[in-house]
Structures are given as C-alpha cells and as structure tokens.
Amino acid sequence: MIRLEPQDDSSLRFRLTIEEPDAPAKAWDCRLDICPNATCHCRDVKFVCQPEPGAAGGAQPAPEPLEFWVDPFLKCECAKESGERRATAQGAALGRRVAAGLSKEQWGKLLEMFRAAKARAMASFDPDQACLELPFEAVEREGAMLGYYELLPHAEPIVMEHGDRQLALDDQYCLRPDCDCREALVALIGPGGPNSRATAREALACFVDYDARSWREADSRRALDAAGRELRLSLERQHPDIYAQLRARHALLKRIYRASAAKLRPSAGAPHLPAGSPKVGRNDPCPCGSGKKYKKCCGR
C-alpha cells in the first residue's frame, strides 16, 4: 500500500509510506519537482525521497536521497534515456514500487499537480525571452508552418463537442518575418487532442482567415463542404471568440520566433545576446532548471 500525505501547503512535499504484508513500513520525506519551463515537452514528475530520520539506524549519516521520475499520463515509472537524468538502481526500484502501488486517485492528483505547475509556467512565460532552436531555414525558405502546441506543448487545449465526439483544435501558423498573412491552418482532431499521445483522427483540416472569418479546405481553395460547414458552426457556437484566439495565438508564436531568432541567428542580422551573457552549449544543463540537456529542452 502506498500513502502520500501532504506535508505543507505547497502540495509539493509529501510523506511517502510503503506498507507491505509481514514487513515494517518504510517512510520517506518526499519532494516533487516539476519542470517550470512552459516550452519543454517533458511530461514527468520527479520524486526526491529522503529516508526519514532514524531509518538508517543509530547515529549513521543520513543516506543520499533516492530520485526517480513517473509519468502521470502513462501512469508508470520513467526509464530516462538521457544520462543526466538517469535514476540510480535503488531510485529506479523505488520508482517502480511506487508506480505499481499508486491508486487511480493518486495518479489523478499527480496529473492535476503537473497541469497546475505547467499552467503557472504558462502564466509567467515571457515570449520575448524565448530561446528555442526552431527550423528557421525551413520556415523562411520553404514556408514551413509551426504549430501552437509544438512550441507551447502544455497550453490549454481548445476543445469542442460535436455529436458524440469531443474534438480538439490543432493550429499551425506561418512565422516568416516578412509575411503578414492572417491565416491559421486548423485541424479538428480526436480523441486525444494535439498535446496528447493518444492516436488522433482528423475530422477537418482547413485554412482559416481570422480577420476575414473565411474558411477554405487545406488541400484546395474550395469552400467547405456541408460537413465542414457544420463543424465550423459548432466551433463558432461553442467558442464565440475563436477568431480572436487564433489572432492572439499567431501573434504570440511570432514573438517567440522573433526572440529565438534574435538569440540563435545573430549572423542573419538579429541582435546578439547582451554582453556578458554566458553561452549555453547544446550538451550543457538547460538554464531553465529542468535537469535536461539544453538540446533536449529549450534548445529543441
């Protein structure tokens, strides 16, 4: 049996207790760490578990804390691929025991905490300080579009009900600095949504001019057919401000792109980093504090 008892009002410190038949209970003071980076694609919660005083026996020095990661979406312990985040054998073993013993309600609480932390990260995110390694050449030379959830993977999804289905909106935009288009490439997909690992089924894909409020099929310049018009009406009815949302999302991605290009493409005429700013190598720890290498986090 696994017990997680909150230790303070932050909801990120717990007393972790494991009770097993015919064995004394074991307890740890536990801190949960959640990556504070709004643009990071990580989906895990880190446990840092310190055995309670006296668990080591006598006056022995306190043992090193055990660390492991769990995925509250997949409800499992994470076997990290990147060396800088690999748990010790003892930490991984404890992680497997915890993951196997957590109840549905406890997994739900961890997921709620993860989403709350990412919502706080989104609320404090400054797009003008973004430094993402984006496909600049593909965007500016080939017209590649970038998705809102590609840059902000934990943003609140836009969902709608249609018949007996729930659909999520996935939106992509042109971010070329010399382009003033007002279109979004919109797809309505289900069941998992744009920031889910569930297999998605596309119900509609079209270009939406959010200023003119006009829609056309993605693979042609034709207007929507009857099924497409029905989906459009459902979206407009459930989200009356959808065009304002698309406009704001496009503007936000442009700011992220512009800030990232200014920092990572100085040779293209963008301003250099302020004097004295330390350069972050691709294999260095990410300055956001996630524990990942820069190339696996903000430098993606």
Side-chain angles (χ1 to χ4, degrees):
M1 177 180 177
I2 303 291
R3 289 211 308 266
L4 285 173
E5 301 165 288
Q7 297 291 82
D8 58 33
D9 293 337
S10 72
S11 299
L12 294 177
R13 299 196 73 90
F14 290 83
R15 184 174 189 264
L16 168 65
T17 306
I18 298 181
E19 298 176 346
E20 296 177 327
D22 304 319
K26 296 181 180 179
W28 293 261
D29 290 325
C30 184
R31 184 187 81 243
L32 305 187
D33 288 343
I34 299 172
C35 171
N37 183 0
T39 64
C40 181
H41 285 249
C42 67
R43 298 163 60 97
D44 47 65
V45 176
K46 179 182 178 181
F47 280 66
V48 182
C49 302
Q50 179 68 56
E52 289 192 337
Q60 297 181 13
E64 290 293 316
L66 298 179
E67 299 180 353
F68 59 89
W69 289 261
V70 299
D71 185 326
F73 293 85
L74 298 181
K75 301 180 181 178
C76 66
E77 186 263 340
C78 303
K80 289 296 173 186
E81 298 178 0
S82 51
E84 73 275 9
R85 300 187 68 184
R86 186 173 298 136
T88 64
Q90 284 183 304
L94 178 59
R96 288 191 292 271
R97 291 173 67 189
V98 170
L102 288 175
S103 67
K104 181 179 178 181
E105 290 73 21
Q106 288 168 326
W107 279 117
K109 179 64 175 177
L110 285 178
L111 183 56
E112 179 183 321
M113 292 166 58
F114 178 88
R115 286 176 167 159
K118 287 300 184 179
R120 291 191 297 270
M122 281 292 299
S124 62
F125 174 63
D126 183 353
D128 298 318
Q129 298 301 317
C131 185
L132 304 184
E133 193 169 289
L134 301 173
F136 302 109
E137 294 297 320
V139 168
E140 296 176 22
R141 294 190 178 185
E142 302 168 20
M145 305 181 82
L146 297 182
Y148 188 76
Y149 297 103
E150 185 179 355
L151 275 64
L152 297 169
H154 301 289
E156 189 71 21
I158 297 176
V159 297
M160 60 174 280
E161 303 291 333
H162 188 71
D164 60 351
R165 292 186 297 169
Q166 185 178 78
L167 302 174
L169 182 143
D170 182 48
D171 45 336
Q172 301 179 37
Y173 301 91
C174 167
L175 301 181
R176 285 169 44 198
D178 61 345
C179 181
D180 60 356
C181 69
R182 298 290 185 269
E183 282 192 325
L185 176 57
V186 169
L188 294 173
I189 59 177
N195 49 2
S196 169
R197 290 180 180 176
T199 302
R201 297 193 303 272
E202 190 174 281
L204 176 68
C206 58
F207 283 100
V208 177
D209 185 320
Y210 49 73
D211 277 354
R213 302 192 176 192
S214 61
W215 297 51
R216 61 182 174 88
E217 292 183 0
D219 57 355
S220 70
R221 303 195 69 86
R222 293 179 300 179
L224 301 182
D225 59 16
R229 291 194 297 272
E230 186 178 344
L231 283 166
R232 170 186 174 171
L233 290 174
S234 291
L235 179 63
E236 291 174 333
R237 185 166 50 251
Q238 295 175 49
H239 295 276
D241 62 342
I242 185 61
Y243 298 108
Q245 287 194 63
L246 295 178
R247 183 183 302 109
R249 286 154 79 101
H250 194 181
L252 178 58
L253 292 200
K254 282 187 172 182
R255 290 173 65 187
I256 294 173
Y257 185 91
R258 184 166 55 247
S260 299
K263 296 176 177 67
L264 300 176
R265 303 186 70 199
S267 61
H272 291 264
L273 285 170
S277 296
K279 182 178 180 181
V280 181
R282 285 177 55 74
N283 290 311
D284 291 342
C286 187
C288 78
S290 68
K292 295 182 178 181
K293 290 182 179 179
Y294 177 68
K295 67 182 181 182
K296 296 282 188 177
C297 191
C298 295
R300 291 169 66 99

